[in-house]
Amino acid sequence: MASQLYVDVILPLALQATYTYSVPLEMETLIQPGVRVVVSFGQRKLYSALVYRAHTDKPQVQQVKDIIQVIDTTPILLSSQYKLWEWIAEYYMCSLGEVMKAALPSGLKMESDTYVASGSDVDEMDLTDEEMNLIHLLGQKRKLTIQQLTQKSGLKHPMSLIKSMLERKLLFITEDIESDYSPKTENYIALAPEYSDEKKICVLIDSLKRAPAQQRLILAIASQATTPNDLTTARVLRKALLEKVDVSASVLKSLIDKGYIIQEEVTTSRIDNDKGEHATCNPLALENFQINALNEIQSQFSSHDVVLLHGVTSSGKTELYIHLINQVLQNGQQVLYLLPEIALTTQIINRLRKVFGNRVGVYHSKFSDSQRVEVYLKMLSEEPFDVILGVRSSIFLPFARLGLVIVDEEHENTFKQYNPSPRYHARDTAIVLAKQVGAKVLLGTATPAVETYFNAKSGKFGLVTMLERFSGLELPRTMVVDTREARKRKRMKSHFSDALLSAIENALSQKEQVILFQNRRGYAPFIECADCGWVPHCEHCDVTLTYHKHSNQLTCHYCGFGMEQPGSCLACGSSNLQPKGFGTEKVEDELTVFFPNAVIERIDLDSTRSRSSYERIISGFEQGKIDILVGTQMVSKGLDFDRVSLVGILNADNMLNFPDFRAFERSFQLITQVSGRAGRKGKQGLVIIQTAQPDHPVIKSVIGNNFFTFWEWQLTERNRFHYPPFYRLIRITLKHKDKYHLEETAESLAKTLRHSLGENVLGPEPPIVSRVQGLYILEILVKIKREQPLQRIKKFIEYSITMLKQKRETSTVVIAIDVDPY
């Protein structure tokens, strides 16, 4: 007798363990690691789980549930992906289930809102009354979610009955809904087979002389044929046909009913570049300094798995990437090209497709879930994309022959996932992925992260430097405006200095473009009653409400709570409410007053909710249709525009004064990066920095374009105060609705940790925003020396939290761990 087969599965839940299920005999041949199976978990839930391991080791429990259904015929997860998932779970102190939730598109995951239908060959004579009730419910609606079915059934314990009926094949998970994904189809119109020559077409058209609309439709379809022999094979998209001929759908239906034409449903792709796009040009010729850098990168790859390309803005790093990609593709390998911001894909995808055509795929969160599923499944097919261009989630795609990972703008904090878990860093995870599969990694930036440059200078990474700009362009000239002095001398108009307004006017007069950077969205950070000082706050978070003039709304940027702008003060009744501070919306609004004839656009989280809005703004600015672009950090991330001669940084101080050990590093990076957008083609650009701290070391480093001095200063500070790269950080965040209960729990945990880890346990302390969505927040920061056993300390932290959560009085506190925060 054969041994019973069992599977350990990963569920898309925050569960530390895998769970074991038995495999019915008839499903054993379908089981292999990486396929999805439907399982029952708990009393009322069904999930799609991933098979992690198949074995014959009987679990030490009384009852083992059967899997209900096998979804896939082939694995949707490669063995290399499993290895990466395991590393992420271990390093970032999370569960495999949490990694699964982040890694797979939603359309490849299934929970208990899954649809079910009744079997087509159900014999009602063999059903109980309760089972008949469920079958009839499904018969009326054809399919229902499990949740809907349990609600409509009126039964006391419907879930156990549904599970039983699924196991007996009386019900089944519907094929088109099981993964919440179905292929996209389009309707095409063609002539019926019997109208295969011109004579028959002429007779048909003549017979329709009393129906001119039908005649036009037949002629429009026939005109798609390139030769007389193609008449019945020529197809035209139904929607396009109706628009072209300008007739109603009823005319088309009449011809279909008569058998003159046929309608065919064709599966098509949602993937953007599935349009038969082919390469139209070769990579551009490199200049001598770029050729030297390319050769040096290849040389460094012979001794290092990771190489840092430190190239000043406009040094032509992207063109260097294209040459490297070309070499990797010629070797039959794949490339992952990571970007920090979705906005960048709009420009770079066009450059890549000119060279590599439809071998390039795009993957990011602005895609619909169905589009992400299609990209994922294409990567598993026999003809996957050779190049994937995407943001941080792209590291989870299945690569069968990955040869190179490019991390562009590697310093950007958007590569870090903050919430929810896993709180991974895409740059660091990409380095691990590449090492696991034998690929190389190129990190590119004009302003390297302090830790990255430290790794390069210490020999862990290779280092290649490009200090020249492409085509001999000069670095932009930088002017600093002291806003305190300007206000004293009445040289500020609202938030603009006279120097900046004059420079904008000069640029516009020469048909040049302007970028203005303000790192705060909305119209104003808050409004205030000028009589009593009342400021509206969020009901759920300890923050002021940001004023958005366009929608006349006060909005919380943490939880989304909003209210209409009140007409009067809710404390004293005064109508004297004034906006304080300024964001991108106010900058845009005031610019229309100063420059009424200019075309002004804003690019921030509010103005680019959809993918099309990103593309419209970037494309419009690139084509010169927009004169002034106002934006947040989005305008700093590697965008390349030919006509930008002026960049204005409106308020550098809100970056410099942020209470974070990375504040100076990020300020330097942001100001340098946004400055680099100026004067990129043909002439030296101008950068105007408005600040109340013109003598600040960061400002001086930017003016002198002196990264090396800045880096050495930051390294000294980090070493002195025990921060990366000399120490590792683990942040533990605790949340609860009861402030005092939270404080007691946090103090207890900190005391336990401090007992073993000593003075390098800081806190608990509240963060800048100490209450979000009704929950109070406290943080504990653990600093770990590089030479200390990281894994052992992590295990101790996990054990301490587990013991705390097992106590009834502290079990309701929400605790989250973030490895390498900030």
Side-chain angles (χ1 to χ4, degrees):
M1 182 177 176
S3 299
Q4 170 67 53
L5 184 66
Y6 298 95
V7 286
D8 297 337
V9 301
I10 304 172
L11 288 155
L13 301 167
L15 303 168
Q16 289 302 323
T18 56
Y19 283 77
T20 303
Y21 289 80
S22 53
V23 181
L25 185 62
E26 68 273 17
M27 298 183 192
E28 286 187 356
T29 57
L30 305 175
I31 293 296
Q32 54 183 312
V35 299
R36 291 170 301 158
V37 293
V38 180
V39 298
S40 169
F41 187 76
Q43 293 298 311
R44 301 176 57 85
K45 290 279 190 178
L46 291 183
Y47 292 93
S48 61
L50 270 168
V51 174
Y52 184 66
R53 186 173 73 99
H55 57 88
T56 56
D57 305 329
K58 186 176 180 180
Q60 300 300 311
V61 292
Q62 285 188 341
Q63 186 179 7
V64 182
K65 295 180 181 179
D66 280 350
I67 62 170
I68 296 169
Q69 187 173 325
V70 180
I71 297 175
D72 305 303
T73 55
T74 57
I76 65 161
L77 209 68
L78 306 177
S79 58
S80 58
Q81 291 174 279
Y82 269 128
K83 284 177 65 179
L84 184 68
W85 285 22
E86 288 169 338
W87 179 83
I88 291 172
E90 180 185 26
Y91 186 81
Y92 290 105
M93 302 175 72
C94 62
S95 69
L96 282 170
E98 288 170 308
V99 181
M100 178 183 174
K101 289 197 76 167
L104 293 182
S106 296
L108 295 179
K109 300 190 292 282
M110 178 191 82
E111 297 191 20
S112 57
D113 56 357
T114 300
Y115 283 80
V116 291
S118 61
S120 56
D121 57 350
V122 172
D123 185 351
E124 295 192 2
M125 295 293 290
D126 296 332
L127 299 180
T128 66
D129 290 345
E130 291 178 332
E131 289 169 344
M132 284 274 288
N133 179 32
L134 293 186
I135 293 294
H136 287 161
L137 281 172
L138 287 166
Q140 294 167 14
K141 296 287 187 179
R142 290 196 305 159
K143 61 191 177 190
L144 291 168
T145 67
I146 290 173
Q147 187 176 7
Q148 290 170 338
L149 193 57
T150 57
Q151 290 171 350
K152 290 176 180 289
S153 69
L155 300 173
K156 288 186 177 180
H157 304 290
M159 193 63 194
S160 58
L161 181 61
I162 291 169
K163 180 176 177 291
S164 170
M165 292 176 72
L166 281 165
E167 291 169 345
R168 290 157 53 208
K169 303 295 185 289
L170 299 174
L171 302 179
F172 63 94
I173 308 294
T174 56
E175 197 66 32
D176 59 331
I177 303 293
E178 66 185 15
S179 63
D180 198 26
Y181 163 77
S182 57
K184 179 183 177 184
T185 59
E186 289 180 334
N187 289 320
Y188 282 83
I189 304 298
L191 293 170
E194 50 265 44
Y195 300 102
S196 57
D197 60 55
E198 289 182 87
K199 287 183 180 179
K200 291 179 180 178
I201 292 292
C202 290
V203 172
L204 174 60
I205 291 172
D206 190 54
S207 70
L208 296 172
K209 56 188 174 185
R210 293 188 177 182
Q214 294 183 13
Q215 278 186 329
R216 294 202 308 274
L217 266 174
I218 296 292
L219 286 168
I221 299 168
S223 68
Q224 299 297 308
T226 53
T227 69
N229 295 329
D230 293 335
L231 281 169
T232 56
T233 58
R235 297 184 312 174
V236 59
L237 190 63
R238 174 192 167 107
K239 183 179 177 183
L241 177 65
L242 291 175
E243 289 175 356
K244 179 181 178 181
V245 186
D246 191 25
V247 298
S248 67
S250 61
V251 175
L252 183 63
K253 184 178 183 303
S254 175
L255 288 171
I256 293 172
D257 292 343
K258 291 174 182 177
Y260 298 154
I261 62 176
I262 57 173
Q263 180 169 287
E264 190 179 2
E265 191 175 64
V266 178
T267 300
T268 185
S269 175
R270 296 179 175 91
I271 302 172
D272 266 8
N273 66 334
D274 193 38
K275 301 172 184 174
E277 294 174 357
H278 300 285
T280 57
C281 62
N282 293 318
L284 296 176
L286 299 178
E287 295 190 1
N288 287 335
F289 76 93
Q290 291 175 305
I291 294 171
N292 292 337
L294 183 61
N295 292 335
E296 181 61 20
I297 290 169
Q298 296 288 19
S299 175
Q300 290 283 349
F301 274 149
S302 65
S303 55
H304 296 87
D305 292 332
V306 183
V307 173
L308 169 64
L309 175 62
H310 180 200
V312 297
T313 55
S314 285
S315 57
K317 292 187 290 295
T318 305
E319 203 56 46
L320 212 60
Y321 301 154
I322 290 173
H323 279 260
L324 274 170
I325 292 169
N326 199 37
Q327 292 174 6
V328 173
L329 265 53
Q330 286 175 3
N331 293 331
Q333 295 176 301
Q334 293 171 301
V335 177
L336 170 58
Y337 189 147
L338 285 175
L339 294 166
E341 190 71 60
I342 294 168
L344 286 179
T345 62
T346 303
Q347 273 203 329
I348 294 179
I349 192 62
N350 294 331
R351 294 177 68 173
L352 291 183
R353 283 184 179 159
K354 284 179 183 177
V355 180
F356 305 111
N358 56 14
R359 299 173 74 181
V360 184
V362 183
Y363 192 80
H364 55 61
S365 60
K366 290 291 182 183
F367 274 2
S368 69
D369 189 63
S370 291
Q371 285 174 307
R372 291 199 295 276
V373 170
E374 288 201 7
V375 175
Y376 192 98
L377 295 179
K378 183 171 175 61
M379 293 302 289
L380 286 168
S381 72
E382 293 182 0
E383 294 184 358
F385 290 115
D386 292 319
V387 182
I388 284 289
L389 179 71
V391 292
R392 63 175 180 253
S393 58
S394 303
I395 62 168
F396 294 117
L397 287 172
F399 292 91
R401 42 188 173 81
L402 187 64
L404 175 67
V405 180
I406 296 169
V407 185
D408 197 16
E409 310 295 353
E410 66 82 26
H411 64 278
E412 285 288 351
N413 66 327
T414 45
F415 281 124
K416 170 73 175 177
Q417 163 77 13
Y418 290 100
N419 279 306
S421 184
R423 297 173 178 84
Y424 66 98
H425 198 295
R427 176 198 60 209
D428 301 341
T429 306
I431 291 172
V432 172
L433 168 64
K435 185 171 184 177
Q436 288 178 346
V437 300
K440 300 294 184 181
V441 179
L442 182 66
L443 309 175
T445 178
T447 52
V450 169
E451 294 94 318
T452 302
Y453 200 71
F454 177 82
N455 285 333
K457 294 297 282 185
S458 63
K460 183 177 179 180
F461 297 166
L463 176 61
V464 177
T465 304
M466 289 200 303
L467 299 180
E468 292 183 53
R469 278 188 141 196
F470 189 75
S471 298
L473 294 178
E474 295 181 85
L475 287 167
R477 181 168 58 91
T478 304
M479 176 192 299
V480 177
V481 174
D482 185 341
T483 52
R484 292 175 304 175
E485 190 67 22
R487 291 190 195 283
K488 284 181 186 177
R489 297 179 180 274
K490 309 294 184 186
R491 291 178 180 170
M492 293 286 292
K493 292 183 175 65
S494 185
H495 305 291
F496 305 92
S497 63
D498 286 349
L500 181 56
L501 289 173
S502 176
I504 294 173
E505 189 171 3
N506 181 56
L508 296 179
S509 69
Q510 297 183 50
K511 306 298 182 185
E512 294 167 345
Q513 291 175 302
V514 178
I515 289 177
L516 296 181
F517 171 66
Q518 167 60 7
N519 203 27
R520 192 186 291 274
R521 61 189 175 103
Y523 188 85
F526 62 96
I527 60 169
E528 182 181 62
C529 174
D531 294 333
C532 74
W534 173 77
V535 175
H537 281 70
C538 176
E539 292 182 1
H540 315 291
C541 312
D542 281 344
V543 291
T544 58
L545 295 174
T546 300
Y547 175 47
H548 292 260
K549 185 178 180 182
H550 177 72
S551 58
N552 197 37
Q553 286 276 316
L554 295 171
T555 305
C556 173
H557 288 172
Y558 284 84
C559 73
F561 170 79
M563 59 184 285
E564 280 196 18
Q565 156 82 333
S568 59
C569 174
L570 300 185
C572 72
S574 169
S575 59
N576 195 7
L577 297 175
Q578 298 178 353
K580 296 292 182 178
F582 66 105
T584 50
E585 192 180 342
K586 188 174 184 182
V587 173
E588 179 189 27
D589 198 44
E590 292 185 343
L591 283 171
T592 58
V593 177
F594 290 119
F595 305 102
N597 297 321
V599 179
I600 303 162
E601 281 280 3
R602 171 168 52 92
I603 183 167
D604 56 25
L605 190 61
D606 300 311
S607 66
T608 55
R609 294 287 181 185
S610 70
R611 179 174 150 226
S612 59
S613 57
Y614 269 107
E615 294 174 352
R616 178 186 60 81
I617 296 171
I618 296 299
S619 175
F621 197 66
E622 196 171 27
Q623 295 169 22
K625 296 177 182 177
I626 299 167
D627 300 313
I628 304 174
L629 185 64
V630 180
T632 53
Q633 294 185 37
M634 292 181 185
V635 299
S636 73
K637 302 182 194 312
L639 295 170
D640 185 1
F641 302 112
D642 292 354
R643 304 176 182 87
V644 176
S645 64
L646 172 66
V647 167
I649 296 166
L650 298 180
N651 182 11
D653 303 304
N654 66 358
M655 296 180 285
L656 295 170
N657 298 333
F658 198 76
D660 181 341
F661 81 92
R662 290 196 191 277
F664 293 166
E665 177 187 5
R666 288 187 177 148
S667 299
F668 177 84
Q669 289 165 345
L670 264 173
I671 297 171
T672 302
Q673 289 285 343
V674 76
S675 299
R677 305 313 112 204
R680 297 177 66 85
K681 297 286 191 295
K683 64 176 285 187
Q684 186 181 28
L686 172 64
V687 178
I688 296 178
I689 302 172
Q690 296 187 166
T691 175
Q693 306 172 73
D695 295 324
H696 196 286
V698 170
I699 301 296
K700 288 190 170 182
S701 295
V702 171
I703 295 170
N705 191 37
N706 200 335
F707 169 79
F708 308 104
T709 302
F710 171 80
W711 176 73
E712 287 172 353
W713 168 51
Q714 280 298 287
L715 212 59
T716 302
E717 293 288 296
R718 300 280 184 88
N719 194 17
R720 180 183 175 190
F721 295 106
H722 299 177
Y723 283 107
F726 303 101
Y727 279 69
R728 296 181 186 272
L729 302 180
I730 296 176
R731 181 174 61 196
I732 304 167
T733 303
L734 299 93
K735 300 180 182 180
H736 199 269
K737 60 184 179 181
D738 186 320
K739 183 179 180 181
Y740 301 105
H741 182 59
L742 175 68
E743 288 173 351
E744 287 178 3
T745 306
E747 286 289 353
S748 174
L749 179 58
K751 184 179 178 181
T752 301
L753 297 176
R754 203 172 283 118
H755 179 74
S756 295
L757 303 177
E759 61 182 12
N760 285 326
V761 177
L762 307 181
E765 293 289 341
I768 300 169
V769 179
S770 60
R771 187 173 65 107
V772 174
Q773 294 181 331
L775 298 176
Y776 291 95
I777 306 170
L778 286 173
E779 293 178 347
I780 299 170
L781 188 65
V782 181
K783 295 182 176 182
I784 305 166
K785 289 181 182 179
R786 282 279 168 178
E787 58 270 22
Q788 286 182 292
L790 179 63
Q791 200 54 37
R792 194 188 306 167
I793 292 173
K794 285 181 179 177
K795 292 292 183 187
F796 172 67
I797 291 171
E798 285 180 334
Y799 175 77
S800 301
I801 292 172
T802 301
M803 297 306 293
L804 189 73
K805 295 287 286 182
Q806 285 179 353
K807 297 177 182 177
R808 186 176 179 182
E809 62 272 19
T810 54
S811 61
T812 56
V813 175
V814 177
I815 302 177
I817 305 172
D818 191 356
V819 179
D820 301 337
Y822 306 108

